[in-house]
Amino acid sequence: MRAVIQPDPSNTAPDSLQVGDIPRPTPGPGEVLIRVTAAGVNRADTLQRQGNYPPPKGASETIGLEVSGHIATIGPGVRDWKLGQPCVALLAGGGYAEYVAVPAGQVVSPPEGIDLVSAAGLIEVAATVVSNLELAGLQRRDTILIHGGAGGIGGFAIPYAKHLGARVISTAGSEEKRQHCRRLGADVVLDHHEDWAAGVRDAAEGGVDVILDIIGAKYLHDHLKLLATGGRIITIGLQGGTKAELNLGLLLAKRASIHATGLRARPVSEKTAIVNRVVEKVWPLLVNGTIPLAQERRYPLAAVADAHAHLDSGEASGKLILTL
Amino acid sequence: MRAVIQPDPSNTAPDSLQVGDIPRPTPGPGEVLIRVTAAGVNRADTLQRQGNYPPPKGASETIGLEVSGHIATIGPGVRDWKLGQPCVALLAGGGYAEYVAVPAGQVVSPPEGIDLVSAAGLIEVAATVVSNLELAGLQRRDTILIHGGAGGIGGFAIPYAKHLGARVISTAGSEEKRQHCRRLGADVVLDHHEDWAAGVRDAAEGGVDVILDIIGAKYLHDHLKLLATGGRIITIGLQGGTKAELNLGLLLAKRASIHATGLRARPVSEKTAIVNRVVEKVWPLLVNGTIPLAQERRYPLAAVADAHAHLDSGEASGKLILTL
């Protein structure tokens, strides 16, 4: 089958990605094989391309954390699916390919009325945001800081946090992106090229209750200073590095906590529970427009290098999707 | 009334503490006045003496976080207490004195059959351990690391964690103290003067689920390396300093979290809820001997400097109590 490969391990640039031929996977017990319609492109995919985010043990070496498609083969013991049904799936890898095998629990029906290509780019972000705002215990009237409000995570997290009744402070790097954050419902939008921390301080006198953090080390100290008593930092990305000084005295004075999580390496049972909550909580909000679909750029599989180059440029806003 | 005072602010040694005369407090709405029988001595008290742990806004300047005694005056709006009833109380300060005023919600009856002087030294430790093992979500069959197993916190946390069904790894600095940890039920006891981290690694192959951390910065990196997937560090003391490098990449790879908390500055409503859970969960375990009373050293109030000097020496094991 056709799949994206990276034949030269010493080349980690976008153009290292090519379409090649690899064996079609066979679904094991409890798995289904999906004939892929489209695959979402995520920042984690660019990290994997660079060699910085290896697949968990047992997962496909092929890049790609989410797809839409149709059920092509049903593995032993799977009862919930029929051949030909449309579906979307959260993957540990293998999405940039004609076919992918995945535990049936990580596969769900797409939201009604949403084009199957667009549906490929929803579940990774939705599962990330839903599971992490649950972990944060985000409450009505909490204040949440969401960086990169025009990015994939931010563009979903802003309207979802508003839907939960939170006050949203967001950051973005251009006036166009900040306008977009405001349209999504953000209450306060700041320029991350300026002194955004001072802006947050002015906008949230008692501090912020939750920080959905895609930056990591670079902002850790500012984040800790901005937290309210009982505040929670939820680190889901490390775009600003991994190592930073932590002031435990300040953490203790604020009775605060720092959590860091990812979806990819979690056991199937946890992913199954998360995607079911996504279907219950998020699909209706997409169908009724509470959460708007992100702006999309579609690339044929053969243009995967262009898609990665665009994401690497930092200019991408909205969602990139590969079509098979 | 008689109370411990520190007349020379430039002297922070144990001998800076003297018994002096200060005005007797008047209970405000929702408060009771307790005539103090005995006051527990805690490490936080020595930090306050040194100027490193100022009282929260509105709290008494007098040292002392827990007392036992009898209800001496009932403030406006308090219905649950009668004059002369024996009680113990969790305080934001003011315990080293003949009388202390405290919100009625932070006052509970002492455990049945336990001497009122001994009862003075129970609630601060019990409330700390119960609230933090709840925060940690300690589960049956979890492995927990408890430093200073022969200290006030450790000596309570070991039998309580065993009661909850956890596997307990503890550390202590002398063979006598390690014997004590074993008698309290610790499954593995290590010498913290040796390579205790290697010992924990050997004893817990998949890592430890919960670390009840009284050290802070000095052990942060070791603690993070020792955590299991989904593990939780609960920092309640900073005997090893406040600032350390945090590797967020490792925290993320383990889907782990770091929480830091204290009791003293929490709102009355939270303290009320915690002391009620202590009465429900811990008092029966003290009455039936599941949690043994700590070994005690009693000092008359006038010998408060000796009590602090003994705690500062690092040689103290068990509980120090001031009698009025």
Side-chain angles (χ1 to χ4, degrees), chain B residues 32-34 69-74 81-85 87 107:
Chain B
V32 295
L33 186 73
I34 297 172
H70 296 89
I71 302 292
T73 311
I74 294 174
W81 291 100
K82 290 181 189 159
L83 290 179
Q85 273 190 291
C87 61
V107 185

Side-chain angles (χ1 to χ4, degrees), chain A residues 22 65 115 125 129 133 145 202 213 219 283 286 299:
Chain A
I22 65 169
L65 297 175
D115 171 75
V125 162
V129 172
L133 296 193
L145 172 61
D202 291 344
D213 168 34
Y219 287 175
W283 273 194
L286 289 163
Y299 297 81

Side-chain angles (χ1 to χ4, degrees), chain A residues 42 46 76 143 156 183 189 202 264 268 285:
Chain A
N42 290 284
T46 67
T143 296
F156 184 95
R183 279 194 302 272
V189 186
D202 291 344
R264 191 181 193 185
V268 173
L285 303 177

